């Protein structure tokens, strides 16, 4: 198949498909779709459109495979792979497993002892990251966030202080909430709001999270969104907080030491505040019990 040797016997091809523009296909993907015995589809109607565009006969090869039926299909899939069938796994758009079904199919193929072969191609979050103008390394892909405010706070907690570019997806009716919550959790970070990537109305809005929130309120939300956030300032802020806490701790210890040496509380506070650059009145209050 193309320039790559076709595995003998059963094989699972994990295929990336266009995320909007149907011309974003590879010659290798078209070869795989022509020659596969079975095409596992998130939605057979979407896959049929792609096959029709490139005049690839669908026949009876299209089988629905999505989050609601994959458990029931797994044994059937494993049996077909063991029989030597060549199976192509596709999602509606983009790369399987990236916020799309596919994990169970991969696990079934590995359990059956057949090769899993990637057929790489489009991915919305990578396309958004490429064009965002924000640092691409390091980055953390977070997928779709939870819908409730409390769940979102728990979801984001491990990444608040991560000095990296954060990338996530969101639907148009929830993206305004997401931007507002991000401001509350991260502060007003530089960010990019990308929508309809590779399609006619593709756009990239750049600014801070609050600026994007205001623009979205004025212009409205349409299409599927990728949100890219520059969170590199988190580490410096965290280190700044730690440094400030360390100064206060050192100042308190200095007051204790000076008082043990016979200084009055007032004099000890005066010396310690000058030595460690903290506010005298607050240090006085913090050490009243000493």
């Amino acid at each position: 198949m193309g320039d790559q040797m076709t595995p003998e016997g059963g094989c699972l091809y994990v295929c990336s498909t266009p995320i909007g523009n149907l011309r974003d296909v590879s010659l290798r993907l078209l070869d795989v779709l022509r020659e596969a015995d079975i095409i596992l589809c998130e939605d057979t109607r979407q896959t049929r459109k792609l096959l029709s565009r490139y005049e690839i006969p669908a026949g009876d090869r299209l089988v629905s495979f999505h989050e609601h039926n994959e458990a029931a299909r797994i044994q059937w899939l494993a049996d077909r792979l063991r029989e030597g069938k060549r199976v192509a796994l596709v999602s509606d758009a983009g790369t399987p497993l990236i916020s799309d079904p596919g994990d169970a199919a991969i696990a079934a193929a590995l359990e059956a002892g057949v090769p899993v072969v990637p057929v790489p191609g489009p991915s919305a979050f990578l396309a958004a990251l490429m064009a965002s103008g924000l640092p691409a390394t390091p980055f953390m892909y977070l997928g779709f966030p939870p819908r409730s405010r409390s769940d979102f706070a728990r979801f984001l907690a491990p990444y608040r202080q991560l000095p990296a570019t954060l990338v996530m997806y969101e639907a148009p009716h929830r993206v305004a909430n997401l931007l507002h919550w991000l401001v509350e959790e991260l502060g007003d970070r530089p960010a990019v709001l990308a929508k309809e990537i590779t399609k006619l109305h593709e756009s990239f809005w750049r600014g801070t999270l609050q600026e994007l929130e205001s623009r979205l309120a004025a212009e409205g939300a349409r299409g599927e969104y990728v949100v890219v956030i520059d969170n590199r300032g988190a580490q410096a802020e965290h280190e700044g907080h730690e440094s400030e806490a360390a100064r206060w701790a050192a100042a308190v210890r200095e007051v204790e030491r000076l008082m043990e040496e016979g200084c009055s509380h007032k004099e000890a506070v005066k010396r310690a505040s000058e030595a460690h650059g903290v506010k005298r009145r607050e240090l006085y209050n913090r050490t009243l019990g000493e």
Side-chain angles (χ1 to χ4, degrees):
M1 188 177 293
D3 294 329
Q4 184 184 45
M5 183 178 295
T6 304
E8 296 182 2
C11 175
L12 178 67
Y13 292 98
V14 184
C15 303
S16 298
T17 57
I19 56 178
N21 190 325
L22 292 182
R23 297 181 65 190
D24 289 335
V25 296
S26 67
L27 297 177
R28 183 173 171 221
L29 172 64
L30 297 179
D31 285 343
V32 168
L33 294 178
R34 287 189 188 99
E35 299 181 23
D37 299 307
I38 298 167
I39 302 176
L40 296 181
C41 314
E42 185 179 1
D43 185 333
T44 57
R45 294 168 296 181
Q46 294 299 321
T47 303
R48 199 175 295 275
K49 291 178 186 177
L50 177 62
L51 297 180
S52 176
R53 170 67 175 78
Y54 290 98
E55 300 180 346
I56 299 173
D60 60 356
R61 299 183 300 150
L62 304 189
V63 176
S64 66
F65 188 85
H66 47 72
E67 60 182 340
H68 302 297
N69 73 0
E70 63 181 1
R73 294 228 191 263
I74 285 302
Q75 188 56 55
W76 174 88
L77 172 60
D79 292 342
R80 301 293 82 75
L81 290 168
R82 290 190 181 98
E83 289 172 2
K85 300 297 184 183
R86 294 165 298 175
V87 179
L89 172 68
V90 300
S91 60
D92 286 350
T95 300
L97 283 75
I98 306 300
S99 292
D100 281 324
D103 300 81
I106 306 297
L110 296 176
E111 179 67 22
V114 302
V116 175
V117 179
V119 182
S123 169
F125 87 80
L126 285 176
L129 184 62
M130 285 163 49
S132 69
L134 300 180
T137 305
F139 76 88
M140 175 65 72
Y141 168 69
L142 303 179
F144 281 95
R147 299 183 183 185
S148 81
R149 181 66 181 86
S150 57
D151 288 344
F152 178 77
R154 287 190 289 271
F155 162 80
L156 196 64
Y159 314 109
R160 282 195 193 99
Q161 295 171 358
L162 184 68
T165 299
L166 308 180
V167 188
M168 58 189 76
Y169 290 150
E170 192 52 285
H173 58 288
R174 291 195 295 269
V175 70
N177 279 343
L178 174 60
L179 293 175
H180 186 70
W181 295 347
L182 284 167
V183 171
E184 292 181 339
E185 295 293 329
L186 301 178
D188 195 19
R189 301 276 188 230
V192 173
L193 197 57
K195 72 172 182 176
E196 299 293 276
I197 297 173
T198 78
K199 300 178 184 178
L200 180 63
H201 299 293
E202 172 183 277
S203 67
F204 294 86
W205 294 357
R206 297 174 175 86
T208 68
L209 288 168
Q210 287 185 330
E211 290 169 347
L212 296 178
E213 184 182 7
S214 297
R215 183 172 177 181
L216 192 70
E219 300 187 26
R222 299 178 187 86
E224 299 297 320
Y225 286 89
V226 184
V227 185
V228 188
I229 308 109
D230 183 355
N231 202 43
R232 289 175 301 165
Q235 185 176 38
E237 290 172 7
H238 178 58
E239 290 173 351
H241 292 321
E242 285 190 333
S243 177
E244 183 179 1
R247 284 199 304 274
W248 278 103
V252 169
R253 288 195 299 270
E254 182 77 357
V255 170
E256 294 171 351
R257 184 184 66 79
L258 290 170
M259 290 179 67
E260 288 174 357
E261 293 178 355
C263 271
S264 68
H265 181 215
K266 184 177 180 180
E267 179 63 20
V269 167
K270 179 178 180 295
R271 292 187 190 180
S273 66
E274 292 172 352
H276 296 282
V278 298
K279 294 179 180 178
R280 186 183 303 183
R281 182 178 295 277
E282 185 173 347
L283 181 60
Y284 184 90
N285 292 333
R286 288 193 185 194
T287 55
L288 269 177
E290 302 302 331

